[in-house]
Amino acid sequence: MLQLTRTFTGCPAGPLKYLVLPHANLIVYPSADAVVILNASSLSLVRVLALREVFPGTQQTVSCLAVDPALKVIVVSTGTRIAAWSLSGVQSNIFRVHSSLILPDGDPVTALDCRAGLLAIGSQKGLSVFTLILENDLLTWTKKWFTGAVTPRSVAFSPTLAYIATTTTPDATQVRVYSTASGIENQVITHPRPVSDVLWRYSSTSRGDDPVLFTVTSDSVLRIFLPVVDSPHRLQLHLAIDSFTSLTPSNNLGISSYSTSKIIWLDKEIIGPVVKTLLEGSSVDSRDVETEKLREIDEEKLDLFIRVFGDGSLVFSAVANIDRKPPTLLRHFIISRSPPGAIYPPPLNIYILPRAELTGLTLVTSPPLRTFEVSALSLLSGQADSFLLCAAGLDKLPLQDSKVSHFVRTPAGRGVAVVRESGGETWMVTDSGANLFQVKSWPSADHVVVLDGGKLIATYSADHSELLLHSNPPSVLTLPRISALFSAPSQSEHESIVGVTDEMSILHIHISTTPCPTLVLHSCDALPLPKRPKLILPVDPMAWSGTTMSDYDHLLSISDEGELRFWILEHGKSSGWRCTGKVRTGRTKFTNARCSSAKKSVLVTRDADGQELTIWDSNESEFASGLEHRRIFSAAEPIHDLDWASTPDNQSILAVGFTHHVELLCQQRKTYFDDDPGWVIYCKVEIGSFVPYPISDSIWLANGSFLVGAGHQMFLFSQTSSFARDTSCSLFESVARSNGPLDDYHPQMLLQCLLWGKLSLVKRIIVKMAQSSQTSNEFHWQPLPIEEYYGKEWTTRRAKPYDFLVGSTNQGELSEDQGFSRALVESLIEQLETHPLSHLTPNEHAHLIVLIQTTLEIDEQRRALDANGFRYVLSMRSFYILNRRIASDPNSPQSGGDIARKTGWRDRLRYRDMIWAFHSESQDILLNTSVAACNGKMLWSDARALGVFIWLNSVDVMRSHMETIARNQYMSGDLRDPTACSLFYFALGKFKLVHGLWRQAVWHKEQAIMLKFLSNDFTKPRWKTAALKNAYVLLSKQRFEYAAAFFLLGGSLKDAVSVCIKQLSDFQLAIALARVVEQGNDGPVFQGILRNTVLPMAVEGGNKWLCSWAFWMLRRRDLSVRVLLTPLQDIVDAFGISVKDVGEPYFDDPSLALLFSQLRSKTLQTATGTSEISGKSEFNFVLQVARVFCRMGCHALALDLVRSWSFERPTAVPAVDFKSPPSPETSHGSLTRDPFLLRRRSSIVIDMDIESRTPSGQSTPKARATVREEEPDRLARKAGLGSLIKSAKHDIQVPEFDLNAFF
């Protein structure tokens, strides 16, 4: 997660105001057109209050500021306008607009003070007092009185609100005292020097309502005024303290002497409780010097003053007898003086604030703005080591009040230029990205580039068409008029500069270092494009990996048609711009675009529904359009800014900037079961809660820091932990865990290893997990060597018939499985349930346990279950466990800070998993396992969810299982309703059985009529017609399932199937009825379902698995394998499928490659289909699957795939006698070297007429006329296919057909 670590809100130019709250102390100061509120202890930002919140459109600076400590109200003014905010609730960061006031024109505010609902306003024309009233449920200010007077420079209410003291302009030597009640001027107090500060003394132990006034003049003389005994409304001078001047500052430290700070009176309401706490903690008999001082302060009710000299030393003094009655001689004395350098450089203003622990104080200085933690006892003793610096603000910057326009960074993000409305400055990234250090500034310019980590800048002036390098001496280069300017990585000492002219020419500028930095125009070329691009943008080179930055692309061009092209600058003999890739997006109305160094591009286009944001990858092929993410944003919340960053392992992070927040998007790892979006919102950077300004720009910097500009202020966010269980995890690590390489034990990695036949590897991982969990309390994993994933091929022996009975075992298997046992697995599962692995979501953790259990079960029965059956069982178990967890916990999955996946309930297995069962030779075991997963009673909803009647091949098994489902349907309800099972029994032709069930349904209102009707002979046309008529009546009553049953009763399978498809939207039910009634796969109704329903639905949904199955059932196995790699539009045209639209095919499934490797040489028909696929397409397909593996975090499997994939041509393979039965286990062999695949290829099935045509009577469809000429490798495949057919015909020696052989 990103955390706000540094704010750049401007340095206070004058005195601060503060609010003392029960749980925090706040300091308040004006900054440009806003008020900044900071936490006094840490200087962390609490809130920014802008005048635009009260007066929209106001851009004037704040002139006056006042704080009402009683009502917690902040009042500011600008010109004639006054705005007030109040603290809402108990929190210290919730401020709401309180009220507003506008004075007459021509009378701007010059001074403010606010106390207990009274507002004193000094203006150009005089002094006025307003009172706060509630009118029509609105707080309003009502003028109490106004007096024309000399323009007040400052105003201050007395503690009792009876008097107002003012200083005036231009005669600053006078202090005027007014009556708050009447506005009458009571007294004018003249001073020999200009008055710099006026302060009323307040103390709960003071003499009633008698005011005490402190004044400080420019010569640092403190004067104390007390009321006259006979005239209490008048003040007279009782003491003038000039003794500070006798304490000359020392310069023993050799440090320069600064001006002396103001004299600060320490508020007794703050110091008093601290002194009492210290005395209570000391011994009663204690007589040390510090304790005696505390007792004197407490007993004598001393007034304390503090002052900082220019050498950084602090002087504490006290005045006694102020509260004496009658007034007596005031006594002043020095309490302590700290050594020089205690606070250095010395500030102009000092503020003492309380802390939660009453033995300490918070000391805040301004300027410079700093906060210290101070021990009260050490402070009063004058000890130099008592000041602990907690935080320090920035020094005042010349342009800190100018609005931020945008940011420009160096290629590596180690320096950034802040471009403001009236100029700009450069900053360097320090403290590992947690801070910025200001380097230099420059006047206004049209374009700016920053170089050398912020140490060097170049500015371009459009008026003079000159590029100025701010070096010593400066270097100037005259250029054509340019529209964009940016820096680019370079192999030389300095980064290079790239400019784009108005004519879209590219200027490449070098910086020569000898004898001094000089600008040199290296080249001026246009990009080699057929037409002028619409945009040329720099690539965000924010990739902090080990790759040299010069290896990345430099430019992105976008055409009017939305084609993206990536460009890199070539060096050497053929210098120029070379295109490294392109992507056709089809987007035209784009408003914003950015490209990352990892070749991820984002486009924002105008859409009818708002704004469309699309993210594109540069790897475009016939199997990937490049589109990774699409999202529509409302037009009411426009996207203002886009910026890319990359993690050290090249994971991309996209920042999408809106008006008041920035969304950070990162890639999400693909999973085998979930269709989650490819990109998700990792977190939001919100500033709207504490800053009212809209975001002007945001940018990534080095080390994953993120800089946001709003108004004239900047906010730096840095990496922090987002994992509750791992406080050391940074943003980059968190993003890597959501999309980077997986650990060997991660359930997704284990699942893919099992799917690809690496059972022995999975068992070794499980054994290693058990050993790691047993040896230490914390789970530590040492990654497996990559060679474990693609070791030498290992094949099992074929078992003899008696081996299974006597338990004969090969010694190789013993060594391979050493340590893996039921006891070990059960112990590991118990350990995992007690101590879940970190960084796994609850779903992933549950899935891991399921995979470990399934691996054990499969290993124990692997002799009876083949590889495809194994894949089905894995998917089925995962399907049920994930659904079960979602049903039990709707909020699941959740992880401690991990990016949550929106895994939803699934109604069925994916067709992919059903097809594995279809191609399995262990369907009896699969059916038993499926029934067991349904608690032994499979209903039709369960059969549909598992696709049972899609993958079953045996007609007898289908009929038997349908009867079981019918019985379970009948028994599922408490009332034993015959209508629930009639459809299935009628499909089986068991009319009499249904008749018997109706006899038991005495509770059913239709029992009598159904008993009478079912007693008829439905083999006769009359009763068939009656059944059909009843079916139509049931349709009109919307009893669709019962209507389908009556259609079957009437012998109309076609109508029953139509009801299932159209009214029930259940094509699986239609398939089940057709296959059972027609007792096979060649019936016209079933073939019609495949042609008219399944294929169009699969094509429109882009589902290649379902397409492959449908063609297989249609005896077009050539198309069954071709459809896996061929564009669906070609298949539609070749087969004549009627569809409205061809869906986007889903190639992000590595199991497609597994299915293709199985089918491509399984039969002569599939070999024919394989020969129609070009080698280039197969090559691109394998690369796409490898990329998908990487997106899933299975990088080792991706490497194994590209290493071991064999681009085989169909050839006749001699039979090989394997010594072991079918098994999913291939040790840690290569992905495509599955013994099962080899075994199938060795005995290729003859499923076509070798002489001429396929069994369906149609020749293999040709590609569309628009398809380019056949590639050479495709011709070679066809030649290979011819030799295969000849050899197959020769080897098998099929006898000629002889009719006499049947007699």
Side-chain angles (χ1 to χ4, degrees):
M1 193 68 87
L2 289 177
Q3 185 181 32
L4 181 62
T5 55
R6 189 71 165 153
T7 59
F8 302 87
T9 52
C11 177
L16 305 174
K17 302 292 183 181
Y18 60 84
L19 268 174
V20 177
L21 304 177
H23 52 278
N25 298 320
L26 307 179
I27 57 175
V28 185
Y29 66 89
S31 176
D33 60 344
V35 174
V36 178
I37 304 174
L38 304 179
N39 185 291
S41 299
S42 60
L43 298 185
S44 59
L45 180 64
V46 174
R47 185 77 158 80
V48 175
L49 307 176
L51 288 169
R52 60 188 299 158
E53 297 178 61
V54 184
F55 303 107
T58 300
Q59 297 184 357
Q60 296 175 319
T61 59
V62 173
S63 57
C64 300
L65 169 66
V67 173
D68 187 341
L71 298 181
K72 307 297 187 290
V73 174
I74 298 175
V75 184
V76 300
S77 68
T78 177
T80 60
R81 297 180 174 183
I82 299 173
W85 290 264
S86 63
L87 186 65
S88 176
V90 296
Q91 296 183 354
S92 61
N93 60 344
I94 306 298
F95 283 85
R96 305 186 188 280
V97 175
H98 177 269
S99 57
S100 63
L101 178 65
I102 302 179
L103 299 184
D105 292 338
D107 192 18
V109 178
T110 59
L112 283 176
D113 195 19
C114 185
R115 294 294 172 110
L118 288 178
L119 178 62
I121 302 176
S123 62
Q124 191 73 37
K125 297 180 180 180
L127 177 66
S128 56
V129 171
F130 289 77
T131 59
L132 186 65
I133 63 172
L134 186 64
E135 182 177 345
N136 297 328
D137 295 330
L138 293 176
L139 292 172
T140 58
W141 295 100
T142 301
K143 184 185 292 185
K144 186 175 182 180
W145 53 262
F146 171 79
T147 178
V150 180
T151 301
R153 183 166 55 91
S154 67
V155 295
F157 280 108
S158 67
T160 60
L161 304 180
Y163 305 99
I164 301 175
T166 69
T167 58
T168 59
T169 302
D171 189 2
T173 61
Q174 294 181 340
V175 175
R176 299 174 184 269
V177 181
Y178 295 86
S179 170
T180 305
S182 61
I184 297 175
E185 182 179 282
N186 291 342
Q187 186 179 3
V188 177
I189 304 174
T190 304
H191 292 70
R193 301 269 184 172
V195 178
S196 59
D197 198 9
V198 174
L199 177 67
W200 292 98
R201 176 182 181 268
Y202 175 77
S203 173
S204 59
T205 60
S206 62
R207 305 176 302 172
D209 295 337
D210 293 345
V212 178
L213 183 67
F214 299 147
T215 64
V216 180
T217 53
S218 59
D219 57 353
S220 299
V221 175
L222 172 68
R223 291 174 173 84
I224 302 177
F225 296 86
L226 301 178
V228 179
V229 176
D230 298 334
S231 181
H233 62 278
R234 295 188 62 84
L235 302 173
Q236 67 179 2
L237 178 64
H238 274 241
L239 181 64
I241 304 173
D242 195 17
S243 60
F244 284 115
T245 57
S246 63
L247 299 173
T248 56
S250 63
N251 199 19
N252 297 333
L253 297 180
I255 55 180
S256 58
S257 179
Y258 287 74
S259 60
T260 305
S261 72
K262 295 180 181 179
I263 302 171
I264 305 300
W265 174 69
L266 302 187
D267 192 343
K268 286 192 172 185
E269 297 300 312
I270 297 176
I271 294 296
V274 175
V275 172
K276 289 185 178 297
T277 302
L278 292 174
L279 287 175
E280 291 172 357
S282 63
S283 174
V284 178
D285 299 330
S286 177
R287 297 298 177 185
D288 57 88
V289 177
E290 289 80 7
T291 305
E292 289 297 326
K293 287 183 179 179
L294 293 176
R295 287 199 180 98
E296 183 180 7
I297 293 172
D298 182 56
E299 295 173 357
E300 298 291 333
K301 309 300 180 187
L302 300 180
D303 284 75
L304 302 179
F305 296 86
I306 186 173
R307 184 181 182 184
V308 180
F309 278 90
D311 60 356
S313 61
L314 278 80
V315 175
F316 283 89
S317 64
V319 175
N321 303 330
I322 292 181
D323 290 329
R324 288 283 182 90
K325 291 185 179 180
T328 184
L329 183 64
L330 300 184
R331 182 168 59 94
H332 171 260
F333 56 92
I334 303 296
I335 294 180
S336 65
R337 180 179 182 179
S338 68
I343 297 182
Y344 196 85
L348 294 180
N349 302 284
I350 295 178
Y351 306 89
I352 301 292
L353 302 176
R355 295 183 65 86
E357 59 279 8
L358 290 179
T359 58
L361 295 169
T362 297
L363 188 146
V364 180
T365 67
S366 170
L369 182 61
R370 289 173 294 175
T371 180
F372 298 86
E373 181 181 340
V374 182
S375 168
L377 187 60
S378 301
L379 179 67
L380 296 175
S381 303
Q383 297 179 12
D385 58 349
S386 62
F387 301 95
L388 176 62
L389 180 64
C390 299
L394 293 175
D395 295 334
K396 183 175 177 58
L397 301 176
L399 301 175
Q400 69 177 20
D401 293 341
S402 180
K403 286 189 176 181
V404 175
S405 174
H406 62 277
F407 299 126
V408 179
R409 67 174 167 228
T410 60
R414 296 184 179 89
V416 61
V418 181
V419 182
R420 301 180 182 266
E421 289 183 348
S422 56
E425 64 261 353
T426 56
W427 301 73
M428 295 178 61
V429 179
T430 61
D431 299 336
S432 300
N435 201 359
L436 296 178
F437 174 73
Q438 201 263 341
V439 181
K440 60 177 63 177
S441 60
W442 71 88
S444 299
D446 295 293
H447 298 286
V448 178
V449 291
V450 57
L451 312 163
D452 294 355
K455 299 177 183 178
L456 194 62
I457 57 172
T459 58
Y460 174 80
S461 173
D463 295 336
H464 303 89
S465 296
E466 290 181 346
L467 181 64
L468 172 63
L469 182 66
H470 295 251
S471 58
N472 188 19
S475 176
V476 179
L477 181 64
T478 302
L479 299 175
R481 188 175 183 87
I482 62 175
S483 58
L485 191 72
F486 46 89
S487 58
S490 175
Q491 297 177 348
S492 61
E493 180 180 349
H494 304 282
E495 293 95 344
S496 60
I497 300 175
V498 178
V500 181
T501 67
D502 293 343
E503 291 75 25
M504 293 296 175
S505 296
I506 311 299
L507 306 175
H508 189 219
I509 302 165
H510 284 183
I511 300 178
S512 175
T513 57
T514 54
C516 58
T518 306
L519 296 174
V520 179
L521 180 61
H522 181 264
S523 63
C524 180
D525 301 312
L527 296 178
L529 290 169
K531 58 185 298 188
R532 180 175 172 176
K534 186 175 182 179
L535 281 179
I536 296 179
L537 301 172
V539 170
D540 290 337
M542 297 300 293
W544 299 289
S545 65
T547 309
T548 305
M549 298 195 70
S550 60
D551 296 337
Y552 292 115
D553 295 323
H554 293 164
L555 298 178
L556 169 71
S557 67
I558 309 177
S559 67
D560 293 324
E561 295 77 21
E563 183 182 68
L564 310 178
R565 286 180 181 255
F566 310 94
W567 304 89
I568 191 171
L569 184 63
E570 288 284 317
H571 298 280
K573 297 181 179 179
S574 58
S575 61
W577 295 95
R578 175 173 60 87
C579 179
T580 61
K582 61 181 179 179
V583 177
R584 291 176 288 273
T585 67
R587 270 62 177 178
T588 55
K589 300 179 181 180
F590 44 86
T591 59
N592 205 343
R594 298 295 288 179
C595 176
S596 75
S597 53
K599 286 193 174 181
K600 302 288 185 183
S601 304
V602 57
L603 290 180
V604 177
T605 56
R606 291 188 299 270
D607 189 85
D609 301 326
Q611 305 169 100
E612 180 196 49
L613 182 141
T614 52
I615 299 178
W616 303 82
D617 185 78
S618 62
N619 295 311
E620 182 190 34
S621 69
E622 64 265 42
F623 303 105
S625 64
L627 180 63
E628 291 189 344
H629 183 64
R630 179 179 181 269
R631 182 180 172 190
I632 301 296
F633 292 90
S634 172
E637 193 176 20
I639 297 174
H640 298 297
D641 181 45
L642 301 168
D643 196 42
W644 285 102
S646 296
T647 66
D649 57 347
N650 279 334
Q651 303 294 330
S652 297
I653 309 174
L654 174 64
V656 182
F658 298 89
T659 304
H660 291 290
H661 73 278
V662 180
E663 293 184 359
L664 303 185
L665 276 65
C666 71
Q667 270 188 299
Q668 183 175 229
R669 186 184 296 112
K670 298 186 71 66
T671 67
Y672 191 69
F673 296 108
D674 302 329
D675 292 328
D676 291 329
W679 291 75
V680 294
I681 299 176
Y682 171 76
C683 67
K684 288 186 179 181
V685 177
E686 299 272 4
I687 68 168
S689 60
F690 54 86
V691 179
Y693 299 113
I695 295 176
S696 55
D697 196 12
S698 59
I699 196 168
W700 288 103
L701 300 177
N703 303 105
S705 298
F706 191 65
L707 185 63
V708 178
H712 60 283
Q713 300 168 341
M714 300 186 301
F715 308 92
L716 182 65
F717 295 82
S718 300
Q719 297 191 67
T720 57
S721 171
S722 64
F723 285 85
R725 290 169 291 183
D726 187 358
T727 57
S728 64
C729 182
S730 66
L731 166 68
F732 286 169
E733 292 171 344
S734 178
V735 170
R737 285 175 178 170
S738 68
N739 189 45
L742 292 171
D743 291 317
D744 301 308
Y745 61 83
H746 193 279
Q748 179 149 283
M749 177 66 85
L750 296 182
L751 175 64
Q752 291 302 316
C753 288
L754 291 172
L755 289 174
W756 286 82
K758 297 180 178 294
L759 181 60
S760 291
L761 174 62
V762 173
K763 290 193 293 184
R764 286 201 300 277
I765 293 174
I766 294 174
V767 171
K768 188 176 179 181
M769 288 180 64
Q771 294 171 349
S772 300
S773 60
Q774 292 172 358
T775 55
S776 62
N777 294 330
E778 294 186 3
F779 183 82
H780 297 286
W781 183 257
Q782 185 67 29
L784 294 178
I786 190 65
E787 292 78 15
E788 294 279 348
Y789 286 86
Y790 51 83
K792 294 181 179 180
E793 184 176 345
W794 175 77
T795 58
T796 59
R797 66 184 183 91
R798 181 181 295 275
K800 297 180 180 179
Y802 54 83
D803 282 350
F804 181 74
L805 298 177
V806 299
S808 176
T809 306
N810 194 316
Q811 293 299 321
E813 294 184 26
L814 280 175
S815 60
E816 192 69 36
D817 300 344
Q818 186 175 8
F820 185 82
S821 64
R822 174 169 289 275
L824 178 138
V825 169
E826 291 176 348
S827 174
L828 175 60
I829 292 176
E830 181 180 355
Q831 180 73 14
L832 292 176
E833 291 175 343
T834 307
H835 302 92
L837 298 181
S838 60
H839 312 312
L840 288 185
T841 66
N843 266 4
E844 291 171 342
H845 186 262
H847 197 188
L848 174 63
I849 293 177
V850 170
L851 286 175
I852 294 174
Q853 291 173 332
T854 305
T855 301
L856 175 63
E857 295 171 6
I858 298 303
D859 182 65
E860 292 178 343
Q861 60 179 354
R862 60 184 176 181
R863 295 182 182 276
L865 191 64
D866 67 350
N868 287 334
F870 178 38
R871 293 166 183 130
Y872 169 81
V873 171
L874 276 176
S875 302
M876 182 197 64
R877 291 185 183 276
S878 299
F879 166 76
Y880 277 111
I881 191 65
L882 295 179
N883 272 2
R884 193 177 302 118
R885 287 196 61 84
I886 295 169
S888 61
D889 183 8
N891 297 323
S892 181
Q894 295 175 348
S895 62
D898 201 359
I899 300 174
R901 295 187 176 275
K902 297 180 180 178
T903 308
W905 176 275
R906 292 197 61 83
D907 294 327
R908 58 167 176 80
L909 280 177
R910 283 175 171 78
Y911 296 120
R912 166 190 63 202
D913 306 318
M914 301 176 189
I915 305 310
W916 287 133
F918 173 73
H919 289 290
S920 172
E921 298 176 1
S922 311
Q923 291 192 350
D924 291 340
I925 298 177
L926 300 187
L927 186 59
N928 294 333
T929 306
S930 300
V931 172
C934 303
N935 298 321
K937 294 183 179 180
M938 181 180 288
L939 304 176
W940 170 248
S941 58
D942 301 317
R944 180 177 57 232
L946 300 179
V948 172
F949 287 89
I950 286 181
W951 53 262
L952 279 177
N953 288 319
S954 171
V955 175
D956 293 336
V957 174
M958 281 190 287
R959 289 182 60 85
S960 174
H961 192 61
M962 180 170 283
E963 185 171 0
T964 301
I965 290 176
R967 181 170 58 253
N968 293 337
Q969 290 285 133
Y970 176 73
M971 299 294 292
S972 61
D974 295 334
L975 298 178
R976 304 292 192 265
D977 189 355
T979 62
C981 60
S982 297
L983 177 63
F984 303 103
Y985 279 129
F986 288 168
L988 296 167
K990 297 182 179 292
F991 306 145
K992 296 300 182 182
L993 185 116
V994 177
H995 185 265
L997 295 178
W998 274 107
R999 289 177 180 172
Q1000 302 177 29
V1002 293
W1003 55 272
H1004 206 291
K1005 63 180 180 179
E1006 297 176 350
Q1007 183 196 28
I1009 190 173
M1010 287 303 300
L1011 286 174
K1012 181 179 179 181
F1013 186 71
L1014 290 177
S1015 63
N1016 299 300
D1017 185 4
F1018 289 96
T1019 60
K1020 296 181 180 180
R1022 172 191 172 186
W1023 297 111
K1024 285 186 177 181
T1025 303
L1028 295 178
K1029 288 181 179 180
N1030 282 314
Y1032 286 111
V1033 172
L1034 290 170
L1035 276 180
S1036 65
K1037 294 181 179 181
Q1038 296 187 355
R1039 297 177 65 181
F1040 300 127
E1041 184 176 335
Y1042 210 33
F1046 270 77
F1047 277 125
L1048 291 179
L1049 190 61
S1052 181
L1053 172 63
K1054 184 176 181 181
D1055 289 329
V1057 163
S1058 178
V1059 171
C1060 294
I1061 295 172
K1062 295 180 180 179
Q1063 276 75 30
L1064 294 176
S1065 299
D1066 191 350
F1067 82 95
Q1068 286 198 52
L1069 182 57
I1071 288 174
L1073 297 179
R1075 297 183 74 184
V1076 168
V1077 173
E1078 294 181 336
Q1079 300 190 26
N1081 302 328
D1082 299 324
V1085 175
F1086 178 60
Q1087 294 281 311
I1089 295 173
L1090 295 176
R1091 294 176 181 273
N1092 303 322
T1093 300
V1094 177
L1095 276 176
M1097 178 183 67
V1099 169
E1100 290 178 358
N1103 194 308
K1104 290 184 170 279
W1105 292 88
L1106 199 56
C1107 283
S1108 177
W1109 174 81
F1111 282 125
W1112 193 278
M1113 302 301 289
L1114 287 170
R1115 311 293 183 183
R1116 294 304 310 273
R1117 297 176 181 176
D1118 54 337
L1119 294 181
S1120 180
V1121 67
R1122 272 191 61 195
V1123 75
L1124 298 178
L1125 273 69
T1126 305
L1128 288 177
Q1129 187 62 56
D1130 291 354
I1131 302 296
V1132 168
D1133 296 341
F1135 200 71
I1137 305 173
S1138 177
V1139 291
K1140 296 180 181 179
D1141 188 23
V1142 177
E1144 185 71 24
Y1146 186 75
F1147 285 104
D1148 292 349
D1149 185 354
S1151 293
L1152 278 175
L1154 190 57
L1155 181 64
F1156 175 72
S1157 65
Q1158 282 193 20
L1159 300 185
R1160 59 180 174 180
S1161 298
K1162 187 173 184 179
T1163 72
L1164 283 180
Q1165 277 199 37
T1166 59
T1168 303
T1170 305
S1171 67
E1172 298 291 334
I1173 300 172
S1174 69
K1176 181 179 180 181
S1177 294
E1178 186 177 345
F1179 180 80
N1180 291 336
F1181 174 70
V1182 173
L1183 289 183
Q1184 171 65 16
V1185 173
R1187 283 192 288 266
V1188 173
F1189 265 135
C1190 293
R1191 289 284 291 107
M1192 296 175 69
C1194 305
H1195 294 68
L1197 298 181
L1199 181 59
D1200 185 28
L1201 179 71
V1202 297
R1203 289 181 74 257
S1204 60
W1205 185 271
S1206 175
F1207 295 89
E1208 298 177 352
R1209 300 299 189 265
T1211 55
V1213 183
V1216 179
D1217 183 20
F1218 287 95
K1219 299 299 182 181
S1220 62
S1223 168
E1225 185 173 2
T1226 61
S1227 180
H1228 49 280
S1230 302
L1231 293 179
T1232 57
R1233 298 180 180 178
D1234 193 332
F1236 303 100
L1237 310 184
L1238 295 175
R1239 181 172 54 83
R1240 287 187 179 124
R1241 292 177 193 148
S1242 65
S1243 55
I1244 191 167
V1245 178
I1246 307 297
D1247 60 349
M1248 61 180 289
D1249 188 343
I1250 297 179
E1251 295 295 336
S1252 57
R1253 294 182 175 271
T1254 62
S1256 62
Q1258 299 180 10
S1259 59
T1260 301
K1262 303 299 181 183
R1264 290 181 294 174
T1266 56
V1267 178
R1268 61 184 179 273
E1269 294 183 3
E1270 296 189 65
E1271 301 175 12
D1273 65 299
R1274 183 181 295 182
L1275 296 176
R1277 285 183 177 227
K1278 289 187 175 181
L1281 177 65
S1283 62
L1284 169 64
I1285 295 175
K1286 291 179 181 178
S1287 61
K1289 181 179 179 181
H1290 176 74
D1291 294 341
I1292 297 176
Q1293 297 179 354
V1294 179
E1296 294 293 329
F1297 177 73
D1298 184 5
L1299 187 62
N1300 294 326
F1302 293 92
F1303 298 98

